[in-house]
Every structure is written in structure tokens, then in C-alpha cells.
Amino acid sequence: MNEQLAKPNVSFQKLVAIALVVAISVVLGVLAVYQIRKPVPYIQEVLALQGDAVQGHAIFQINCSGCHGIMADGNVGPSLKGVSARKSRARLIEQVISGQTPPMPKFQPSQKEMADLLGYLESL
């Protein structure tokens, strides 16, 4: 009879352990999302600037047109027409500077150059 009482405790302990692991996983997941979404100072500085779309077009031609096409309509890389309607300003900046979408290289222009490039991308 003592063995029968011990078995439910083991099951209860397993359930508590599983619940604890799930709770910790959820907390870590929320923290990871917060860290990913937390704007870095570079992005905040770029967003505070007014970009010049004409200057941004020149930056685009030098650094981006080889893959995204001279008219930003795609080549090796995707078309960027209407990209600002699909992605937030912060996400566009992050996309350019991160290098997280191979084969796009990591590119970190000055804050003013990035603001200009952002101005151009928003004009597409």
C-alpha cells in the first residue's frame, strides 16, 4: 500500500518539474524577444535624424544596387519597392546593419548616411 501512495507523488513531482521548465522557458522567451526588439542606440540616433532621400539614393546606388537593382526593383536581392509599407523604420535599419539575411552583407553606415538611405527606401 505504501508503494501505491509513492507513485502519485512521483507523478506530481514530474508535473511540477515540467511546469517549472515550461514557466522558465516562457520567461526566457519573453526576455529574448524584449532584447531583440529593444532598439539599440544606433537605431534611436538614426530615427532622430531627418534623412535626405536624394543623398540616400546615391548611397543606395553605391552600396545596394548591385543586388537590389538600379531602380530597387530586384536583381539578386529582392525588390525594395514598397518596402517601407512592409517593415517598420527600425526594422529596415536593423535589416541593413545586421547582415542576418545572407547573402546581404553587414553594412553600418554613419547615422546620417543611414537616415538618408532610410529616406530613400521610404520614397520607393
Side-chain angles (χ1 to χ4, degrees), residues 12-94:
F12 179 73
Q13 288 174 344
K14 284 182 181 179
L15 287 174
V16 169
I18 291 170
L20 186 59
V21 167
V22 168
I24 290 171
S25 297
V26 168
V27 168
L28 290 176
V30 168
L31 289 174
V33 167
Y34 174 76
Q35 283 300 103
I36 291 170
R37 295 286 179 196
K38 185 174 148 185
V40 295
Y42 175 87
I43 294 174
Q44 291 174 332
E45 291 170 18
V46 170
L47 292 174
L49 297 172
Q50 181 66 35
D52 178 352
V54 173
Q55 188 63 29
H57 181 255
I59 294 166
F60 179 87
Q61 291 301 311
I62 293 166
N63 296 286
C64 312
S65 65
C67 291
H68 292 286
I70 293 171
M71 303 302 292
D73 53 1
N75 191 9
V76 174
S79 170
L80 298 176
K81 300 286 183 166
V83 70
S84 64
R86 298 187 304 269
K87 294 183 183 251
S88 70
R89 298 180 87 222
R91 184 66 189 113
L92 284 171
I93 297 166
E94 189 176 298

